[in-house]
Amino acid sequence: MADNILVMEHITKEFPGVKALDNVNLEVRRGEIHALIGENGAGKSTLMNVLSGQYPYGSYTGTVTYEGKECHFKRLSDSEAKGIVIIHQELALIPLLSIGENMFLGNEIKNKMGYIDWDKTYSEAEKHMAQVGLHESAQTLIKDIGTGKQQLVEIAKAFSKDVKLLILDEPTSSLNDEDAKMLLDLLIEFKKNGLTSIIITHKLNEIIYCADRVTILRDGSTIETLEKGKDDLSEDRIIKGMVGREMDDRYPSREHKVEKDVMLEVKNWTVHHPIYQEKLVDDNISFNVHKGEVIGFSGLQGAGRTELMMSIFGKSYGSHISGELYVKGQKVELKNPEAAIKHGIAYVTEDRKTNGLILDESIRFNTTLARLSKVCSNGIIDVDREVFEAEKMKKEMGTKTPSVEQRIGNLSGGNQQKALLGKWMFAEPDILILDEPTRGIDVGAKYDIYCLINEMVSKGKAVIMVSSEMPELLGMCDRIYVMSEGRLAGELSAEEATQEKIMSCIMSTFHEDVK
């Protein structure tokens, strides 16, 4: 019989109008990496919140057995005391505090006088940082390290709590390929030392790389558990379990009808850092996008792609911005996002939860935000009109929700992303900038968004897509611009673009720097 560290049986969890988990079962063996996967809204994060005590005992039905004993966790601290630590997709770190302060926040190390023992705090922090291969001073501020290192801080923080079962929810969604592989290798190394991990991810290649077993959830129910070496663990097999059908093509076909009309042209665009104004973020960038065209922007993390797009969108990022913008052949000065919207430009941010949506408000409220004038009469919002328009966008985007009055923060990641797209489509843009449009969402929701992009360009709109996933750019774009260290490193047509050529463009810039 397998040595299970965790057994969850018949877990059912309901929210108003929604059954998030329906008789779910999960078994995790001691010392394995167990992947938990499914489409957005399948119940993965809900199940882990039940396990961790985020949803307390009594708010669900079913049993949780950990280390052979039934557990009734009523709060997060209860599960952490047993060695269960969950790291959420949105890292719970305070940027202006040090690594050491973050690591022991709420669990401070004190001396006999009751004051914080800073020497011991920092020495203990560095001991746990060494366990995860993070070689920084514990006094370094969180804001001064990159996302990959911040993820390591969260794992080191888990070790400070004597972790036995580590749960990672989309741990690589904000990491580049190199940092993601380093993190997965770290989990494999931890496994050798007896640590058990549960990983939630939509990146199927990562599952195949590191997971010993995979449990698939669909619509709040357990579908199956697959085991490496025993079952087929190919991407196609996993997708079939997730969506309940074969997906022959990850990217919908499109008739490429790129027209001669240039919708947006950017010339010699230069952007400096908003605080450290001597720092050059984007250096003399020029590009264009035509009517009916999807162009992509590829590059490593920190290449300056997001900063470029935000600065174009009404100077919402940067300082000392110079260069020229032409919308449909007319030179424009976009001093703020409102001006950009009036000129038919929309920007779908990569950070939907912080900058894209107001999570405590309804879908209806969020849908009309970017263009309230469409639902106003004499400066007063017509709520009936707003409901009608929100329902219309919900249907067009395929957002799964019982009502447009639903709090948008209660939706799954994929449905939040569709609602965010709906918000900007309601503004009727001609030029749509999509920054990491499919980050952290499942393969089925990705396909839906790709279909929406194709529909937009078929109507003569222009789409600019920033993505860290090269296959996505290769599958969707007519042309790809490659950025490296704030500069344009190359431009490739769809016919000539490959992952190898994109990386070659990036590396050529590094070689120039060495010279």
Side-chain angles (χ1 to χ4, degrees), residues 218-232:
R218 189 196 313 148
D219 297 329
S221 299
T222 309
I223 300 302
E224 59 188 340
T225 296
L226 304 173
E227 185 172 346
K228 184 175 283 185
K230 181 179 176 183
D231 301 303
D232 179 8

PDB file of all heavy atoms in Angstrom, residues 218-232:
ATOM      1  N   ARG A 218     -12.007  18.523 -13.332  1.00  0.00           N
ATOM      2  CA  ARG A 218     -12.813  19.180 -14.363  1.00  0.00           C
ATOM      3  C   ARG A 218     -14.178  19.519 -13.763  1.00  0.00           C
ATOM      4  O   ARG A 218     -14.840  18.650 -13.192  1.00  0.00           O
ATOM      5  CB  ARG A 218     -12.998  18.278 -15.584  1.00  0.00           C
ATOM      6  CG  ARG A 218     -13.637  18.990 -16.786  1.00  0.00           C
ATOM      7  CD  ARG A 218     -14.159  18.020 -17.834  1.00  0.00           C
ATOM      8  NE  ARG A 218     -13.204  16.984 -18.174  1.00  0.00           N
ATOM      9  CZ  ARG A 218     -13.557  15.752 -18.530  1.00  0.00           C
ATOM     10  NH1 ARG A 218     -14.840  15.403 -18.573  1.00  0.00           N
ATOM     11  NH2 ARG A 218     -12.639  14.846 -18.823  1.00  0.00           N
ATOM     12  N   ASP A 219     -14.561  20.787 -13.866  1.00  0.00           N
ATOM     13  CA  ASP A 219     -15.861  21.251 -13.356  1.00  0.00           C
ATOM     14  C   ASP A 219     -16.082  20.852 -11.894  1.00  0.00           C
ATOM     15  O   ASP A 219     -17.160  20.414 -11.501  1.00  0.00           O
ATOM     16  CB  ASP A 219     -17.008  20.707 -14.222  1.00  0.00           C
ATOM     17  CG  ASP A 219     -16.932  21.218 -15.651  1.00  0.00           C
ATOM     18  OD1 ASP A 219     -16.437  22.348 -15.843  1.00  0.00           O
ATOM     19  OD2 ASP A 219     -17.350  20.495 -16.565  1.00  0.00           O
ATOM     20  N   GLY A 220     -15.021  20.966 -11.083  1.00  0.00           N
ATOM     21  CA  GLY A 220     -15.153  20.710  -9.657  1.00  0.00           C
ATOM     22  C   GLY A 220     -15.152  19.261  -9.258  1.00  0.00           C
ATOM     23  O   GLY A 220     -15.433  18.933  -8.104  1.00  0.00           O
ATOM     24  N   SER A 221     -14.833  18.346 -10.184  1.00  0.00           N
ATOM     25  CA  SER A 221     -14.826  16.911  -9.878  1.00  0.00           C
ATOM     26  C   SER A 221     -13.488  16.285 -10.265  1.00  0.00           C
ATOM     27  O   SER A 221     -12.814  16.758 -11.187  1.00  0.00           O
ATOM     28  CB  SER A 221     -15.952  16.185 -10.629  1.00  0.00           C
ATOM     29  OG  SER A 221     -17.216  16.688 -10.256  1.00  0.00           O
ATOM     30  N   THR A 222     -13.118  15.217  -9.577  1.00  0.00           N
ATOM     31  CA  THR A 222     -11.896  14.476  -9.916  1.00  0.00           C
ATOM     32  C   THR A 222     -12.158  13.623 -11.156  1.00  0.00           C
ATOM     33  O   THR A 222     -13.120  12.849 -11.191  1.00  0.00           O
ATOM     34  CB  THR A 222     -11.474  13.546  -8.754  1.00  0.00           C
ATOM     35  OG1 THR A 222     -11.433  14.301  -7.550  1.00  0.00           O
ATOM     36  CG2 THR A 222     -10.102  12.952  -9.018  1.00  0.00           C
ATOM     37  N   ILE A 223     -11.310  13.767 -12.149  1.00  0.00           N
ATOM     38  CA  ILE A 223     -11.459  12.982 -13.384  1.00  0.00           C
ATOM     39  C   ILE A 223     -10.585  11.738 -13.335  1.00  0.00           C
ATOM     40  O   ILE A 223     -11.049  10.621 -13.547  1.00  0.00           O
ATOM     41  CB  ILE A 223     -11.110  13.839 -14.620  1.00  0.00           C
ATOM     42  CG1 ILE A 223     -12.043  15.048 -14.714  1.00  0.00           C
ATOM     43  CG2 ILE A 223     -11.175  12.997 -15.895  1.00  0.00           C
ATOM     44  CD1 ILE A 223     -13.526  14.714 -14.793  1.00  0.00           C
ATOM     45  N   GLU A 224      -9.280  11.921 -13.047  1.00  0.00           N
ATOM     46  CA  GLU A 224      -8.371  10.786 -13.027  1.00  0.00           C
ATOM     47  C   GLU A 224      -7.024  11.211 -12.454  1.00  0.00           C
ATOM     48  O   GLU A 224      -6.726  12.403 -12.338  1.00  0.00           O
ATOM     49  CB  GLU A 224      -8.169  10.238 -14.447  1.00  0.00           C
ATOM     50  CG  GLU A 224      -7.599  11.264 -15.418  1.00  0.00           C
ATOM     51  CD  GLU A 224      -7.579  10.770 -16.857  1.00  0.00           C
ATOM     52  OE1 GLU A 224      -7.632   9.539 -17.058  1.00  0.00           O
ATOM     53  OE2 GLU A 224      -7.504  11.611 -17.770  1.00  0.00           O
ATOM     54  N   THR A 225      -6.216  10.225 -12.073  1.00  0.00           N
ATOM     55  CA  THR A 225      -4.827  10.458 -11.669  1.00  0.00           C
ATOM     56  C   THR A 225      -3.929   9.618 -12.569  1.00  0.00           C
ATOM     57  O   THR A 225      -4.142   8.407 -12.720  1.00  0.00           O
ATOM     58  CB  THR A 225      -4.606  10.088 -10.194  1.00  0.00           C
ATOM     59  OG1 THR A 225      -5.387  10.957  -9.361  1.00  0.00           O
ATOM     60  CG2 THR A 225      -3.140  10.240  -9.813  1.00  0.00           C
ATOM     61  N   LEU A 226      -2.946  10.260 -13.194  1.00  0.00           N
ATOM     62  CA  LEU A 226      -2.012   9.598 -14.100  1.00  0.00           C
ATOM     63  C   LEU A 226      -0.644   9.514 -13.430  1.00  0.00           C
ATOM     64  O   LEU A 226      -0.233  10.435 -12.718  1.00  0.00           O
ATOM     65  CB  LEU A 226      -1.900  10.383 -15.415  1.00  0.00           C
ATOM     66  CG  LEU A 226      -3.203  10.649 -16.175  1.00  0.00           C
ATOM     67  CD1 LEU A 226      -2.947  11.570 -17.358  1.00  0.00           C
ATOM     68  CD2 LEU A 226      -3.840   9.342 -16.632  1.00  0.00           C
ATOM     69  N   GLU A 227       0.065   8.414 -13.688  1.00  0.00           N
ATOM     70  CA  GLU A 227       1.361   8.187 -13.042  1.00  0.00           C
ATOM     71  C   GLU A 227       2.464   8.049 -14.083  1.00  0.00           C
ATOM     72  O   GLU A 227       2.316   7.303 -15.065  1.00  0.00           O
ATOM     73  CB  GLU A 227       1.292   6.932 -12.171  1.00  0.00           C
ATOM     74  CG  GLU A 227       2.544   6.674 -11.370  1.00  0.00           C
ATOM     75  CD  GLU A 227       2.380   5.537 -10.379  1.00  0.00           C
ATOM     76  OE1 GLU A 227       1.223   5.125 -10.118  1.00  0.00           O
ATOM     77  OE2 GLU A 227       3.407   5.050  -9.866  1.00  0.00           O
ATOM     78  N   LYS A 228       3.573   8.770 -13.850  1.00  0.00           N
ATOM     79  CA  LYS A 228       4.718   8.700 -14.769  1.00  0.00           C
ATOM     80  C   LYS A 228       5.279   7.280 -14.795  1.00  0.00           C
ATOM     81  O   LYS A 228       5.415   6.627 -13.756  1.00  0.00           O
ATOM     82  CB  LYS A 228       5.799   9.674 -14.307  1.00  0.00           C
ATOM     83  CG  LYS A 228       7.009   9.758 -15.235  1.00  0.00           C
ATOM     84  CD  LYS A 228       7.994  10.822 -14.779  1.00  0.00           C
ATOM     85  CE  LYS A 228       7.526  12.221 -15.114  1.00  0.00           C
ATOM     86  NZ  LYS A 228       8.534  13.258 -14.788  1.00  0.00           N
ATOM     87  N   GLY A 229       5.557   6.801 -15.982  1.00  0.00           N
ATOM     88  CA  GLY A 229       6.101   5.462 -16.128  1.00  0.00           C
ATOM     89  C   GLY A 229       5.047   4.381 -16.216  1.00  0.00           C
ATOM     90  O   GLY A 229       5.335   3.240 -16.602  1.00  0.00           O
ATOM     91  N   LYS A 230       3.811   4.736 -15.882  1.00  0.00           N
ATOM     92  CA  LYS A 230       2.719   3.762 -15.909  1.00  0.00           C
ATOM     93  C   LYS A 230       1.652   4.171 -16.915  1.00  0.00           C
ATOM     94  O   LYS A 230       1.119   3.351 -17.655  1.00  0.00           O
ATOM     95  CB  LYS A 230       2.117   3.647 -14.506  1.00  0.00           C
ATOM     96  CG  LYS A 230       0.987   2.645 -14.374  1.00  0.00           C
ATOM     97  CD  LYS A 230       0.480   2.614 -12.922  1.00  0.00           C
ATOM     98  CE  LYS A 230      -0.706   1.692 -12.776  1.00  0.00           C
ATOM     99  NZ  LYS A 230      -1.256   1.712 -11.391  1.00  0.00           N
ATOM    100  N   ASP A 231       1.336   5.483 -16.935  1.00  0.00           N
ATOM    101  CA  ASP A 231       0.315   6.010 -17.841  1.00  0.00           C
ATOM    102  C   ASP A 231       0.947   6.942 -18.867  1.00  0.00           C
ATOM    103  O   ASP A 231       2.094   7.384 -18.712  1.00  0.00           O
ATOM    104  CB  ASP A 231      -0.751   6.781 -17.044  1.00  0.00           C
ATOM    105  CG  ASP A 231      -1.436   5.919 -16.003  1.00  0.00           C
ATOM    106  OD1 ASP A 231      -1.999   4.881 -16.377  1.00  0.00           O
ATOM    107  OD2 ASP A 231      -1.399   6.287 -14.810  1.00  0.00           O
ATOM    108  N   ASP A 232       0.189   7.260 -19.898  1.00  0.00           N
ATOM    109  CA  ASP A 232       0.607   8.227 -20.917  1.00  0.00           C
ATOM    110  C   ASP A 232       0.568   9.629 -20.295  1.00  0.00           C
ATOM    111  O   ASP A 232      -0.481  10.110 -19.895  1.00  0.00           O
ATOM    112  CB  ASP A 232      -0.344   8.142 -22.118  1.00  0.00           C
ATOM    113  CG  ASP A 232       0.009   9.147 -23.207  1.00  0.00           C
ATOM    114  OD1 ASP A 232       1.073   9.797 -23.107  1.00  0.00           O
ATOM    115  OD2 ASP A 232      -0.783   9.289 -24.164  1.00  0.00           O
TER     116      ASP A 232
END
